[in-house]
């Protein structure tokens, strides 16, 4: 028995004073309504309506049930109305998760404008270089950078693509020489990214096709911002995503090694737990983020 539907039917019967008129309003047969009310009375163990061929009246229990059911139905209606009215509003608490490097270099710069645009929104940005459980962490969206997203119950929407290239400082290359081919990289000091799938093996694509270089990084770190700073300090050669390398390269602090070669381009995914679509606050945030990712 759908209790809320039965409550609504009972209310309509009382207010219309007739099973027939209530049935017409609800688009069902009077016999069906009569059967539902009988089942309701049986479940409650009492009579709610006394009926004769000419009249119908509420018992004391029926009056109590009517009053309480009316309050419940009105409360549910008010909640539904508030939710519908607020469905397109950017308000509430938005919880975002991202890696430290992406959070600091891409998300942080867009936050002031985003926060000012939506003053009714509360925001939590959690940064973690390891993959977190979106559901357990209570996050509305997690930004993940992967070549592909594994199959799971989560929903991954691609919002951009990054480029992954090889870098070193001018001072390091001046001291050690500039590699002229991928195979020559193995003879250099390597700074590796612990959480990358290419920590000890770089697959590079360039003018001569695709080649794989096996490596044994001298230094291994779990944060690409630290990796960038080590490269700037002349500690070796390493790979960086463009959102981490762009500024250092523009300022001449890093230069590309084998500029015609690069690693496979990972995708940037927005991961959510629900397949029912994103709410307004997540949509607004991702719109801001997509704009920041455009070339």
């Amino acid at each position: 028995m759908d209790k809320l539907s039965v409550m609504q039917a009972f209310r309509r019967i009382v207010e219309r004073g007739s099973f027939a008129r209530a049935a017409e309003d609800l688009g069902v047969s009077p016999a069906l309504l009569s059967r539902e009310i009988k089942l309701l009375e049986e479940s409650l163990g009492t009579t709610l309506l006394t009926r004769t061929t000419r009249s119908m009246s509420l018992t004391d229990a029926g009056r109590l049930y009517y009053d309480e059911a009316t309050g419940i139905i009105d409360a549910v209606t008010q909640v539904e109305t508030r939710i519908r009215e607020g469905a397109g509003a950017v308000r509430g608490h938005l919880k975002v998760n991202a890696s430290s490097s992406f959070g600091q270099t891409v998300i942080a710069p867009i936050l002031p404008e985003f926060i000012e645009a939506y003053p009714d929104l509360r925001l939590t940005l959690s940064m973690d270089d390891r993959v977190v459980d979106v559901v357990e962490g209570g996050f509305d969206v997690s930004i993940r950078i992967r070549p592909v997203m594994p199959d799971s119950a989560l929903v991954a929407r691609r919002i951009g693509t990054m480029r992954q290239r090889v870098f070193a400082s001018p001072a390091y290359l001046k001291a050690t020489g500039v590699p002229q081919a991928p195979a020559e990289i193995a003879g250099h000091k390597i700074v590796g990214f612990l959480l990358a799938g290419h920590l000890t093996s770089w697959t590079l694509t360039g003018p001569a096709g695709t080649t794989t270089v096996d490596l044994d990084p001298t230094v291994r770190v779990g944060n690409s911002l630290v990796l960038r700073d080590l490269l700037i300090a002349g500690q070796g050669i390493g790979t960086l995503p463009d959102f981490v390398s762009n500024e250092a390269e523009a300022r001449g602090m890093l230069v590309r090694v084998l500029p015609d070669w690069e690693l496979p381009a990972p995708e940037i995914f927005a991961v959510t737990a629900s397949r029912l679509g994103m709410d307004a606050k997540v949509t607004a945030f991702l719109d801001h983020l997509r704009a920041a990712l455009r070339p």
Side-chain angles (χ1 to χ4, degrees), residues 10-231:
F10 183 79
R11 179 182 182 180
R12 186 62 60 92
I13 291 166
V14 172
E15 292 176 349
R16 295 288 278 158
S18 163
F19 274 80
R21 287 192 290 268
E24 183 179 354
D25 291 347
L26 297 171
V28 298
S29 69
L32 176 61
L33 277 190
S34 180
R35 196 159 52 244
E36 287 189 341
I37 298 307
K38 183 178 180 180
L39 289 172
L40 174 63
E41 290 176 329
E42 289 176 353
S43 71
L44 295 173
T46 189
T47 300
L48 301 177
L49 292 167
T50 55
R51 286 168 278 177
T52 67
T53 56
R54 293 176 177 270
S55 66
M56 180 188 74
S57 62
L58 286 170
T59 64
D60 289 343
R63 171 58 61 185
L64 175 62
Y65 189 85
Y66 171 79
D67 291 341
E68 295 298 328
T70 297
I72 291 170
I73 293 167
D74 288 345
V76 170
T77 300
Q78 290 173 10
V79 169
E80 290 178 342
T81 299
R82 288 170 58 191
I83 290 174
R84 289 191 190 100
E85 291 176 347
V90 181
R91 61 165 64 98
H93 189 183
L94 174 64
K95 295 185 68 177
V96 180
N97 168 259
S99 69
S100 298
S101 56
F102 192 87
Q104 292 182 55
T105 59
V106 179
I107 296 178
I110 71 170
L111 287 184
E113 180 182 358
F114 179 70
I115 292 169
E116 290 177 8
Y118 302 105
D120 294 331
L121 186 70
R122 295 173 59 211
L123 174 70
T124 296
L125 173 60
S126 172
M127 292 182 286
D128 196 314
D129 286 314
R130 295 189 180 276
V131 175
V132 300
D133 188 313
V134 174
V135 177
E136 184 178 331
F139 296 107
D140 295 292
V141 61
S142 178
I143 307 302
R144 298 183 182 175
I145 301 172
R146 296 284 183 274
V148 294
M149 284 297 298
D151 291 336
S152 73
L154 301 176
V155 182
R157 300 171 176 86
R158 190 179 69 82
I159 60 172
T161 301
M162 54 164 268
R163 304 183 74 174
Q164 187 89 358
R165 302 184 179 99
V166 183
F167 289 92
S169 71
Y172 174 84
L173 295 175
K174 182 177 180 180
T176 63
V178 180
Q180 300 300 312
E184 296 180 18
I185 293 177
H188 285 260
K189 290 173 60 180
I190 302 298
V191 183
F193 185 42
L194 273 173
L195 305 179
H198 58 267
L199 174 64
T200 60
S201 180
W202 295 355
T203 298
L204 299 166
T205 300
T210 299
T211 185
T212 299
V213 182
D214 293 326
L215 304 164
D216 182 16
T218 308
V219 179
R220 307 177 184 205
V221 296
N223 182 287
S224 57
L225 295 178
V226 175
L227 194 155
R228 177 202 60 191
D229 292 345
L230 287 171
L231 297 182

